[in-house]
Amino acid sequence: MSMSTKISAPAGRETTADVPAGSTPATRPRPRRDRVAYLFLAPWFVGLLLLTAGPLLGSLYLSFTKFNLLQPPPGPASATT
């Protein structure tokens, strides 16, 4: 009593027979829809960089300089006032 029933993968999924030899899921090229997702996420990534990394780098720069916000800057420009 043998039952030979072929089980097929759901639509849009690859079975092991569809994958080229030597190719694993990690090395297969990504589908086009992943690139479209990154395109829609790009404005968020740009905002993250500008609103997070920008102030972080600015404060890092100011922490390594002799910057005094409470007093006027020294030099010839302050002598004219």
Side-chain angles (χ1 to χ4, degrees), residues 9-65:
R13 298 241 178 165
E14 296 179 12
T15 61
T16 54
D18 298 334
V19 178
S23 178
T24 63
T27 60
R28 263 185 276 152
R30 295 210 177 254
R32 183 180 177 101
R33 66 176 180 234
D34 286 354
R35 283 183 258 152
V36 172
Y38 288 127
L39 182 66
F40 279 103
L41 288 172
W44 188 87
F45 286 129
V46 169
L48 177 70
L49 286 175
L50 293 178
L51 296 174
T52 303
L56 181 76
L57 293 174
S59 65
L60 186 68
Y61 168 75
L62 290 177
S63 68
F64 287 108
T65 60

